[in-house]
Amino acid sequence: MTKKGYYGKWGGAFIPEILHETFNELNKVFEEVKADPQFWEDYFDLMSTYSCRPTPLTHAENLSKHFGGCQMYIKREDLNHTGAHKANNVMGQGLLVKRMGKSRVIAETGAGQHGVATATMAAKFGFECTIYMGEEDVQRQRPNVFWMEKLGATVIPVTTGARTLKDAINEAFRDWVSSMDTTHYVMGTVCGPHPFPEMVAWFQSIIGQETRGQILSRFEKLPAKVYACVGGGSNAMGIFQGFLADSGVELVGVEAGGLGLDSGQHAARLAGKDGSQGVAQGYKTMFLQDNDGQMLDTHSVAAGLDYIGVSPILTDLWEKGKIRFEAATDEEVLDALDLTMKKEGIIPALESAHAFVQAFKDAGKLSADQAVIINMSGRGDKDIFTIAHAYDDPSWKKFIMKKGKAYAAEK
Ligand SMILES: *Cc1c(COP(=O)(O)O)cnc(C)c1O
């Protein structure tokens, strides 16, 4: 029998004693809402009036022709409010916070995307909002910090340790320990202590539910393969849940291969050979760590995939052979992004483009009466600073320098 919150030997809830009470409360309210069909209806209503659910499933006809194999379909999570699937999770947790009668939310963020999504939710629900972010990341991610502050959140730069995500997580937990009566910690992905992996997966399952119905009505049979990029694993869990019971559908998770799996500069916890089991940040999974259990520095062109851990649910499914894991390098990602823009007029986020890479590699081996689905977790146009930098575009550089000079000349 599996213990609550464990997926095989992965997961669990490694939390300080003082947080037990607030986790019990969270578990209780989560069990309640799962059993209450009205809650899911309210959630869907919110997502269809404030975000863009159901998001479309687009037939990528030009890419299908280009690769001459299967029919490619793209699930358009980019069309969500704030431009990515993260809206599904934060808005769902917002409804939970309301139900618990709490008035404040906190979150930690690395690249800032989860911070912007959380600040958006807090503004909509009227919650107070504090976002913890490593000082290093605050410097690097100014556009996201700008929006968090404009949306009314307080951004606290964390100056301890390496001043990045890890340190922000510690500070956010410190806050929670002293504020749990009024405050909910908004977990950004299907990681962390139980019940967060299950809860975030549940909110994100809306992607898979919709996609399954859409492909059956449009293509009249199930797809051969479904692709998703994997950072913490929430968009992947979201779409995979629609097809987990279908043995004929291959599920493919694509991690950040960075500069290559042999370079030590990547974030492939499952696809490569560098991951090893460990317990950190409240749960057990495969981490990128050294022999002493110190977390390693990861690298990816896509900030949202640049993370040391991965969902315990995905690790379990990987171990059982239910999901194939691959990695895409930064270079492959930029090529796939370029082709998708030119062929379909669609701009995937750098994260999402990882899934496109593997779908393109496999396409030729399939036939025209087979379909594949790529989960496009987010849109790239909002990340123009990151993407223009990744392409090392000379005119963009000139433009930024000119802006800088103009600002410097202002009094
Ligand atoms: C945050 C983010 C991801 C990575 O998170 P998951 O939990 O693995 O889904 C992927 N794509 C986009 C666009 C993101 O913003």
Side-chain angles (χ1 to χ4, degrees), residues 283-300:
Y283 69 111
K284 181 175 181 180
T285 195
M286 294 287 280
F287 287 101
L288 291 169
Q289 57 191 339
D290 67 16
N291 292 334
D292 299 325
Q294 290 294 318
M295 295 302 150
L296 296 174
D297 283 332
T298 51
H299 164 80
S300 172

Side-chain angles (χ1 to χ4, degrees), residues 4 8 50 67 105 117 125 130 171 209 238 275 287 297 390 397 402:
K4 194 97 190 106
Y50 188 62
F67 287 102
V105 292
F125 282 98
T130 303
E171 281 306 311
Q209 274 180 26
F287 287 101
D297 283 332
K397 230 181 241 172
K402 210 165 164 194

Side-chain angles (χ1 to χ4, degrees), residues 7 26-27 29-31 33-34 40 88-89 92-93 96 100 184-185 187 189-190 193-205 241 313:
Y7 311 91
L26 191 58
N27 273 303
V29 74
F30 179 48
E31 292 303 322
V33 301
K34 267 195 302 183
W40 189 267
N88 303 328
N89 171 40
Q93 288 194 53
L96 277 187
M100 289 187 286
H184 174 69
Y185 184 116
M187 179 64 62
T189 186
V190 275
H194 178 72
F196 283 118
E198 187 188 334
M199 179 195 298
V200 178
W202 188 61
F203 288 126
Q204 295 292 3
S205 71
Q241 281 173 98
I313 311 178

Side-chain angles (χ1 to χ4, degrees), residues 120-153:
T120 303
M121 175 272 275
K124 167 78 175 159
F125 282 98
F127 302 143
E128 201 188 316
C129 178
T130 303
I131 304 291
Y132 289 91
M133 200 167 174
E135 193 184 37
E136 196 66 32
D137 292 328
V138 170
Q139 307 269 342
R140 284 192 291 220
Q141 308 290 345
R142 180 49 57 185
N144 285 334
V145 175
F146 174 82
W147 285 127
M148 283 179 240
E149 291 178 343
K150 288 292 165 221
L151 288 159

Side-chain angles (χ1 to χ4, degrees), residues 42-338:
D42 292 347
Y43 170 58
F44 188 79
D45 185 60
L46 175 66
M47 294 312 289
S48 58
T49 55
Y50 188 62
S51 194
C52 190
R53 305 226 72 93
T55 59
L57 183 70
T58 302
H59 185 197
E61 287 171 278
N62 302 329
L63 282 172
S64 302
K65 261 194 212 110
H66 179 79
F67 287 102
C70 54
Q71 302 306 316
M72 288 186 183
Y73 287 85
I74 303 174
K75 178 60 171 169
R76 303 292 304 281
E77 289 304 298
D78 58 305
L79 295 176
N80 271 297
H81 182 42
T82 69
H85 68 295
K86 286 191 170 67
N88 303 328
N89 171 40
V90 294
M91 297 312 287
Q93 288 194 53
L95 286 174
L96 277 187
V97 176
K98 218 169 108 182
R99 191 149 169 148
M100 289 187 286
K102 294 187 173 181
S103 56
R104 177 172 176 262
V105 292
I106 57 174
E108 96 285 333
T109 190
Q113 294 146 312
H114 176 55
V116 172
T118 303
T120 303
M121 175 272 275
K124 167 78 175 159
F125 282 98
F127 302 143
E128 201 188 316
C129 178
T130 303
I131 304 291
Y132 289 91
M133 200 167 174
E135 193 184 37
E136 196 66 32
D137 292 328
V138 170
Q139 307 269 342
R140 284 192 291 220
Q141 308 290 345
R142 180 49 57 185
N144 285 334
V145 175
F146 174 82
W147 285 127
M148 283 179 240
E149 291 178 343
K150 288 292 165 221
L151 288 159
T154 305
V155 179
I156 300 189
V158 175
T159 55
T160 49
R163 296 173 293 143
T164 57
L165 183 64
K166 257 194 316 235
D167 315 291
I169 292 175
N170 292 339
E171 281 306 311
F173 266 89
R174 216 161 285 157
D175 178 318
W176 204 18
V177 163
S178 62
S179 67
M180 58 192 184
D181 289 345
T182 59
T183 301
H184 174 69
Y185 184 116
V186 184
M187 179 64 62
T189 186
V190 275
C191 292
H194 178 72
F196 283 118
E198 187 188 334
M199 179 195 298
V200 178
W202 188 61
F203 288 126
Q204 295 292 3
S205 71
I206 197 168
I207 305 174
Q209 274 180 26
E210 284 175 12
T211 309
R212 194 172 203 286
Q214 287 167 324
I215 194 73
L216 285 175
S217 83
R218 299 272 300 283
F219 193 66
E220 294 177 348
K221 61 179 181 182
L222 288 168
K225 297 169 198 291
V226 179
Y227 297 88
C229 66
V230 181
S234 67
N235 85 89
M237 274 309 298
I239 195 159
F240 289 169
Q241 281 173 98
F243 303 94
L244 263 176
D246 304 306
S247 58
V249 181
E250 187 183 37
L251 306 174
V252 186
V254 188
E255 295 180 287
L259 304 183
L261 290 185
D262 297 326
S263 68
Q265 302 244 37
H266 61 78
R269 295 107 341 155
L270 300 176
K273 297 217 179 319
D274 294 349
S276 56
Q277 67 176 56
V279 175
Q281 297 170 4
Y283 69 111
K284 181 175 181 180
T285 195
M286 294 287 280
F287 287 101
L288 291 169
Q289 57 191 339
D290 67 16
N291 292 334
D292 299 325
Q294 290 294 318
M295 295 302 150
L296 296 174
D297 283 332
T298 51
H299 164 80
S300 172
V301 68
L305 304 187
D306 202 351
Y307 177 54
I308 48 155
V310 63
S311 175
I313 311 178
L314 287 175
T315 302
D316 180 47
L317 292 167
W318 162 76
E319 197 176 36
K320 292 180 172 143
K322 299 216 163 165
I323 300 178
R324 166 159 72 107
F325 274 84
E326 301 282 356
T329 65
D330 291 353
E331 207 180 316
E332 290 172 327
V333 161
L334 292 175
D335 288 346
L337 181 58
D338 201 52

